[in-house]
């Protein structure tokens, strides 16, 4: 299941981060294998999920890490769900209110288009390493390219030419 993949990704990110130490040069990082997966390493990090829906993904990831990678779970300083929907924001809070992850989960009711336009900040600057995920947000970004030619809307399509190359062509908008 994809939540296990994401959980493993967060764990690998944490373990690599915990194993990375600055050596001779301030910009050079090397890996110290003795620190990988060490239960004594407790470098805090955060997870931010943009467009957290009802919080299902967050719950699966946190539960997976808690059960299978407890040293990683204990190092999560916060798991923040950011959403612009008041109803989803409420559903997230209800899902985590009294559960085992209640102390880790935070909720931000913010519209990411406001963040993109610079009218609202997402977070203040932090030196804590952060994993940012945006499954549904990335999935729902605009993906069609349209133009208006002679008063008619056209959409871009990528087509294979007779010379066996790819090119963009505009065709009448169909949807």
């Amino acid at each position: 299941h994809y939540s296990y993949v994401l959980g493993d990704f967060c764990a690998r990110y944490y373990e690599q981060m915990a194993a990375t130490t600055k050596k001779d040069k301030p910009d050079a990082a090397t890996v110290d294998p003795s620190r990988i997966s060490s239960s004594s390493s407790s470098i805090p990090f955060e997870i931010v999920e943009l467009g957290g829906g009802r919080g299902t993904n967050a719950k699966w990831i946190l539960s997976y890490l808690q059960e299978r990678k407890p040293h990683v779970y204990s190092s999560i300083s916060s798991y923040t769900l950011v959403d612009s929907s008041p109803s989803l924001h409420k559903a997230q809070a209800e899902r985590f209110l009294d559960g085992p992850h209640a102390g880790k989960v935070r909720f931000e009711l913010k519209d990411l288009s406001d963040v993109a336009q610079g009218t609202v900040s997402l977070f203040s600057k932090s030196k804590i390493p952060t994993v940012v995920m945006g499954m549904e947000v990335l999935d729902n970004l605009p993906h069609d390219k349209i133009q208006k030619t002679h008063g008619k809307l056209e959409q871009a399509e990528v087509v294979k030419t007779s010379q066996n190359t790819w090119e963009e062509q505009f065709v009448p908008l169909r949807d």
Side-chain angles (χ1 to χ4, degrees):
H1 194 266
Y2 77 95
S3 62
Y4 296 135
V5 172
L6 292 171
D8 276 339
F9 169 78
C10 291
R12 281 194 311 276
Y13 171 81
Y14 169 79
E15 290 167 349
Q16 183 66 33
M17 177 192 62
T20 302
T21 58
K22 299 281 182 175
K23 293 287 184 189
D24 303 87
K25 301 177 196 167
D27 293 330
T30 57
V31 174
D32 177 2
S34 67
R35 293 183 64 195
I36 293 179
S37 297
S38 168
S39 59
S40 63
S41 293
S42 60
I43 297 172
F45 77 108
E46 330 180 280
I47 300 173
V48 175
E49 185 174 345
L50 306 174
R54 297 185 176 282
T56 305
N57 189 55
K59 186 174 182 181
W60 285 342
I61 290 172
L62 288 168
S63 294
Y64 173 82
L65 291 173
Q66 186 180 41
E67 293 168 17
R68 300 202 178 160
K69 306 281 185 172
H71 67 287
V72 176
Y73 179 83
S74 66
S75 295
I76 298 171
S77 60
S78 66
Y79 191 119
T80 304
L81 292 158
V82 180
D83 215 295
S84 62
S85 166
S87 61
L88 290 176
H89 186 72
K90 181 180 177 193
Q92 294 165 0
E94 289 171 355
R95 178 176 295 269
F96 288 100
L97 185 63
D98 295 320
H101 312 301
K104 294 213 181 270
V105 182
R106 296 180 19 215
F107 311 95
E108 293 284 336
L109 183 60
K110 292 186 180 179
D111 189 325
L112 293 176
S113 61
D114 293 337
V115 173
Q117 293 173 8
T119 59
V120 172
S121 66
L122 187 56
F123 296 108
S124 58
K125 290 185 180 182
S126 171
K127 294 191 184 265
I128 296 175
T130 305
V131 175
V132 178
M133 298 182 287
M135 273 57 87
E136 294 300 316
V137 168
L138 296 176
D139 182 51
N140 290 310
L141 287 174
H143 51 77
D144 292 336
K145 184 176 180 181
I146 61 170
Q147 71 181 17
K148 193 173 193 178
T149 306
H150 307 296
K152 298 198 182 223
L153 289 175
E154 298 176 320
Q155 67 185 17
E157 290 183 351
V158 177
V159 296
K160 198 170 198 177
T161 68
S162 59
Q163 291 82 27
N164 210 25
T165 60
W166 296 95
E167 70 178 35
E168 180 181 86
Q169 291 181 353
F170 282 89
V171 298
L173 184 64
R174 291 188 295 267
D175 54 9

